[in-house]
DNA sequence: CGTGTTTGACCTGCGC
DNA sequence: GCGCAGGTCAAACACG
């Protein structure tokens, strides 16, 4: 516990230093790729309208343009151009600072822990340069894809979080590029409340590296149902059913199982479990990607050839 | 072991 | 200030 607290503190400190360059999303313009606009309409008032996702407002921006893709758009085009919508937003890209601080964090952490005198006096990357109070704006790409195309993402993503979103019954999952050496690309996936067969993916930033051809080890790419022990609270004996392999994380059972969680008022695990069981029955194999999306034969990492 | 997911706790911005 | 909501961290697992 002490250690935990300690690390927390360290984390805080680090964050403190970099908080000034927090991400800021200012949607400058939208590029709409194909037909109808996503159905975010009305997703906000479900919860009393206290806080609709910012997407809601943005989606109604009158100005839609159809030109001016940037690299990212081009990159993803081959994958998603069919029956998908890509909305592009551009803004000033985040400077290298943010990328540095992540790596720095570890180093600093390390140094601070060592009491042998080799501590690294905090190298502040700080606020000094934040003379312009304008918060950081990062490049963002939003697109709507169907389930099938959801896993056609060639990049390798590692999930680092999932949260229920206010306006929508479906949770939103957060991914980051697994070749995270310096890559600050993030991606968030959420199911469209209006058309549940569609997903909204939001990419932030661009990859600063090539498309990986192969993964070092394909371990951990599949996951079966199991129960994870809970340190403190014995709430729900969460069983996580299945998760999909790495490159196409998407439709995690959690995504669907946690549907309506907020609606049923978080009664107990009873309902929750029930749902999970159902989900487990329907998608309880590593074949979840096969079943859901039978398009792609069975390639794992050689898409680069396809790509070119 | 290295890599990936799950998940509760934590952080931060924002509105009241 | 407090509380909420979105975003992130990291310990604990899982898997090959
Ligand atoms: Zn990357």
């Amino acid at each position: 516990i002490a250690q935990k607290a300690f690390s927390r503190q360290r984390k805080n400190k680090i964050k403190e230093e970099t908080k000034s360059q927090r991400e800021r999303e200012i949607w400058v313009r939208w590029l709409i790729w194909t037909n109808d606009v996503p159905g975010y309409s009305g997703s906000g008032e479900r919860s009393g309208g206290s806080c609709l996702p910012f997407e809601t407002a943005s989606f109604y921006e009158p100005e839609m343009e159809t030109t001016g893709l940037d690299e990212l758009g081009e990159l993803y085009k081959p994958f998603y151009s069919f029956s998908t919508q890509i909305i592009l937003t551009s803004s000033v890209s985040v400077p290298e600072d943010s990328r540095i601080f992540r790596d720095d964090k570890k180093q600093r952490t390390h140094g601070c822990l060592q009491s042998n005198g080799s501590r690294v006096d905090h190298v502040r990357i700080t606020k000094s340069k934040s003379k312009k109070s304008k918060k950081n704006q990062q490049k963002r790409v939003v697109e709507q894809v169907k389930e099938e195309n959801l896993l056609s993402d060639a990049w390798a993503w590692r999930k680092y979080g999932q949260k229920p979103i206010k306006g929508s019954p479906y949770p939103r999952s957060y991914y980051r590029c697994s070749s995270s050496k310096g890559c600050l690309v993030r991606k968030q996936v959420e199911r469209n409340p209006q058309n549940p067969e569609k997903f909204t993916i939001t990419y932030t930033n661009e990859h600063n590296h090539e498309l990986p051809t192969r993964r070092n080890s394909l371990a951990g790419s599949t996951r079966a149902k199991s129960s994870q022990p809970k340190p403190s609270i014995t709430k729900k004996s969460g069983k996580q059913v299945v998760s999909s392999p790495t490159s196409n994380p998407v439709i995690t059972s959690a995504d669907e199982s946690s549907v309506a969680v907020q609606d049923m008022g978080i009664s107990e695990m009873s309902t929750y479990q029930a749902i999970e069981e159902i989900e487990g029955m329907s998608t309880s194999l590593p074949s979840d990607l096969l079943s859901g999306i039978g398009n792609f034969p069975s390639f794992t990492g050689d898409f680069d050839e396809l790509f070119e």
Side-chain angles (χ1 to χ4, degrees):
Chain A
I1 297 175
Q3 279 191 353
K4 193 166 188 174
F6 198 50
S7 64
R8 288 291 178 198
Q9 282 189 346
R10 275 184 278 130
K11 177 163 69 177
N12 294 352
K13 179 167 284 183
I14 291 150
K15 282 198 174 174
E16 204 175 311
E17 296 175 2
T18 56
K19 84 164 104 177
S20 60
Q21 42 193 29
R22 226 45 195 154
E23 73 170 316
R24 201 9 106 229
E25 52 286 313
I26 295 181
W27 304 69
V28 179
R29 75 162 180 253
W30 294 81
L31 289 169
I32 298 195
W33 202 255
T34 52
N35 41 18
D36 72 286
V37 176
Y40 253 118
S41 55
S43 62
E45 63 258 24
R46 282 181 58 100
S47 56
S50 60
C51 173
L52 21 152
F54 57 90
E55 286 94 345
T56 308
S58 301
F59 265 116
Y60 292 115
E61 278 296 336
E63 56 170 313
M64 323 175 184
E65 303 187 350
T66 32
T67 52
L69 327 172
D70 64 348
E71 318 164 18
L72 249 188
E74 293 288 355
L75 266 180
Y76 291 121
K77 186 172 177 180
F79 287 105
Y80 302 113
S81 54
F82 48 105
S83 93
T84 63
Q85 309 168 345
I86 301 184
I87 299 95
L88 247 198
T89 67
S90 70
S91 42
V92 203
S93 62
V94 92
E96 29 213 339
D97 308 26
S98 63
R99 140 176 17 162
I100 294 172
F101 87 80
R102 272 218 176 274
D103 296 54
D104 270 16
K105 163 180 155 186
K106 263 182 190 163
Q107 294 179 0
R108 238 174 299 158
T109 293
H110 198 55
C112 285
L113 277 181
Q114 291 179 350
S115 51
N116 61 359
S118 70
R119 70 174 295 196
V120 205
D121 270 354
H122 310 88
V123 190
R124 306 208 162 227
I125 336 172
T126 346
K127 25 200 117 187
S128 55
K129 50 185 65 175
S130 69
K131 51 191 69 171
K132 51 171 73 176
S133 56
K134 227 158 78 168
K135 309 144 188 186
N136 279 338
Q137 310 163 350
Q138 321 184 230
K139 176 175 293 184
R140 285 203 163 202
V141 179
V142 178
E143 49 185 279
Q144 297 265 323
V145 305
K146 295 202 157 155
E147 245 175 77
E148 316 100 54
N149 308 337
L150 193 41
L151 354 103
S152 52
D153 195 338
W155 302 92
W157 302 99
R158 182 173 63 252
K159 188 175 191 173
Y160 68 91
Q162 168 174 321
K163 283 218 112 213
I165 299 306
K166 195 86 210 252
S168 154
Y170 308 98
R172 167 186 301 171
S173 350
Y174 302 88
Y175 300 90
R176 96 175 15 145
C177 184
S178 6
S179 41
S180 62
K181 303 260 191 235
C183 191
L184 40 131
V185 181
R186 304 232 162 113
K187 157 190 178 186
Q188 41 186 250
V189 179
E190 64 183 299
R191 200 182 275 265
N192 192 321
Q194 253 56 37
N195 338 348
E197 71 272 9
K198 281 193 173 182
F199 289 81
T200 305
I201 306 185
T202 307
Y203 296 94
T204 314
N205 288 311
E206 304 178 47
H207 294 275
N208 54 5
H209 57 89
E210 291 297 322
L211 193 62
T213 54
R214 211 170 280 276
R215 202 197 327 262
N216 291 346
S217 109
L218 55 155
S221 45
T222 54
R223 200 161 237 242
K225 62 151 80 179
S226 68
S227 55
Q228 234 172 0
K230 301 240 156 72
S232 47
I233 314 170
T234 321
K235 214 189 277 182
K236 54 184 178 184
S237 65
K239 21 170 109 161
Q240 26 201 90
V241 195
V242 197
S243 153
S244 24
T246 352
S247 43
N248 30 356
V250 199
I251 318 169
T252 316
S253 55
D255 278 339
E256 298 170 296
S257 64
S258 26
V259 173
V261 155
Q262 74 177 31
D263 285 341
M264 53 185 175
I266 318 156
S267 55
E268 282 302 333
M269 57 178 102
S270 54
T271 339
Y272 195 45
Q273 268 185 334
I275 292 181
E276 278 181 343
E277 305 247 344
I278 296 170
E279 282 297 332
M281 300 229 265
S282 55
T283 45
S284 70
L285 337 163
S287 62
D288 62 328
L289 72 144
L290 295 175
S291 66
I293 313 84
N295 314 3
F296 288 105
S298 62
F299 68 40
T300 27
D302 296 323
F303 33 67
D304 48 347
E305 297 175 3
L306 286 175
F307 200 90
E308 281 147 353

